[in-house]
Amino acid sequence: MPHIDDFVKDIMENGVSAKTPHEAEIKELTGVITAEKKKIEGEYEKIGRLYYKNNSHKTDGELGALVAGVNASKKKIKDSKLKIGQLFDITFCEECGEQVDEDALFCNNCGAKMPVKLLPGMVLCKHCNKAVREGIRFCTNCGHSMLEEPEPPKALKECANCGFTTNDPDLMFCENCGRRLVTEDGEEVTQEEEAPKEPTKKVCTNCGFEIFDVETMFCNDCGRRLVEASELENAD
């Protein structure tokens, strides 16, 4: 026995005989089915557009793959339009599409930064984004130095316990938690010819915490600086 969907589909594709009982009513009902299907397709499209509008940044999962496909197509369309403008020697804003002057730094319509076209022998100033002659020491637009700025020095030492960093070559222990610092390659910072120290008993005079350790300088419970037990005995 045929499924109702197949049965009705056959009627809609092939029609019904004029001698079929209720011919007019059947045609009216199939017309309703056709109209509602078109309506559903329209609603599907609206749902898809609404989802894309609210989730155009989400490109993970099954729906994300569709979103990524739409984004890629949109980019190809935009790039093609901009290329057409270039072929006519007309510059358009990549954000809003308005025509802008060829040497404009920003779009007069939406304020978006415009890409700078560099001629041979020209470079961009990293501070004002203006094209200037290559080799000059100072930007002719903003006056800033065009020389390469040195990168800030990397931290030479780091505390593996709390993340404290320092470039001080003489500092051996963390200023925050008192643990011994390590170098960039993970080696512990040591002094030259430093004699190994035997673990000594240390006591917290605030909460009574005790530990036998050379490196730990602060209490693990309350954070107060530890005192060697021998110092307390001598004080007594």
Side-chain angles (χ1 to χ4, degrees), residues 203-209 218-226:
V203 180
C204 176
T205 58
N206 181 53
C207 67
F209 171 80
F218 295 89
C219 176
N220 291 344
D221 293 335
C222 67
R224 291 287 295 275
R225 182 178 288 276
L226 298 175

Side-chain angles (χ1 to χ4, degrees), residues 68-84:
V70 173
N71 290 340
S73 295
K74 282 179 171 286
K75 186 179 186 305
K76 288 182 179 179
I77 291 173
K78 183 177 72 172
D79 292 344
S80 297
K81 290 180 178 179
L82 293 172
K83 184 64 177 179
I84 292 174

Side-chain angles (χ1 to χ4, degrees), residues 157-170:
K157 305 173 186 177
E158 181 179 4
C159 175
N161 183 50
C162 68
F164 169 80
T165 58
T166 180
N167 290 312
D168 187 346
D170 298 324

Side-chain angles (χ1 to χ4, degrees), residues 1-234:
M1 298 178 66
H3 190 276
I4 186 173
D5 291 341
D6 298 329
F7 179 73
V8 174
K9 179 181 179 182
D10 181 66
I11 292 175
M12 295 178 67
E13 290 179 350
N14 301 316
V16 294
S17 172
K19 298 180 180 181
T20 303
H22 313 294
E23 175 192 3
E25 187 175 0
I26 292 174
K27 288 184 177 181
E28 181 180 353
L29 291 172
T30 55
V32 170
I33 294 173
T34 300
E36 292 303 318
K37 282 187 174 182
K38 289 183 179 180
K39 182 178 179 181
I40 289 175
E41 292 300 322
E43 296 302 320
Y44 281 161
E45 182 178 351
K46 290 180 181 179
I47 292 172
R49 288 181 179 273
L50 181 60
Y51 179 87
Y52 177 80
K53 180 179 179 181
N54 296 329
N55 300 275
S56 59
H57 60 289
K58 297 180 180 179
T59 56
D60 56 328
E62 185 177 357
L63 288 176
L66 298 175
V67 169
V70 173
N71 290 340
S73 295
K74 282 179 171 286
K75 186 179 186 305
K76 288 182 179 179
I77 291 173
K78 183 177 72 172
D79 292 344
S80 297
K81 290 180 178 179
L82 293 172
K83 184 64 177 179
I84 292 174
Q86 293 175 3
L87 295 175
F88 283 92
D89 293 327
I90 301 175
T91 302
F92 294 95
C93 174
E94 295 185 8
E95 296 297 326
C96 68
E98 287 293 323
Q99 182 177 350
V100 295
D101 294 335
E102 185 177 359
D103 59 348
L105 295 178
F106 299 92
C107 174
N108 292 330
N109 182 58
C110 69
K113 182 181 290 187
M114 301 299 298
V116 179
K117 298 179 181 178
L118 291 178
L119 298 175
M122 305 291 286
V123 293
L124 284 181
C125 172
K126 294 182 179 180
H127 296 271
C128 68
N129 205 42
K130 188 74 174 181
V132 295
R133 183 168 51 84
E134 186 177 7
I136 61 174
R137 297 184 61 186
F138 298 94
C139 175
T140 54
N141 182 59
C142 68
H144 201 280
S145 174
M146 295 293 294
L147 301 178
E148 289 291 335
E149 297 182 355
E151 295 183 1
K154 296 181 179 179
L156 298 176
K157 305 173 186 177
E158 181 179 4
C159 175
N161 183 50
C162 68
F164 169 80
T165 58
T166 180
N167 290 312
D168 187 346
D170 298 324
L171 193 62
M172 297 179 60
F173 295 93
C174 175
E175 293 182 347
N176 292 332
C177 66
R179 293 292 294 274
R180 184 180 292 275
L181 299 173
V182 296
T183 59
E184 287 181 328
D185 56 7
E187 297 294 330
E188 288 191 350
V189 178
T190 57
Q191 290 181 334
E192 293 184 1
E193 299 181 358
E194 180 184 14
K197 296 181 179 180
E198 293 294 331
T200 56
K201 181 179 181 181
K202 298 180 181 179
V203 180
C204 176
T205 58
N206 181 53
C207 67
F209 171 80
E210 297 181 356
I211 188 173
F212 280 89
D213 188 53
V214 174
E215 299 180 359
T216 303
M217 300 183 66
F218 295 89
C219 176
N220 291 344
D221 293 335
C222 67
R224 291 287 295 275
R225 182 178 288 276
L226 298 175
V227 179
E228 291 190 8
S230 59
E231 295 180 10
L232 294 178
E233 294 174 358
N234 294 333

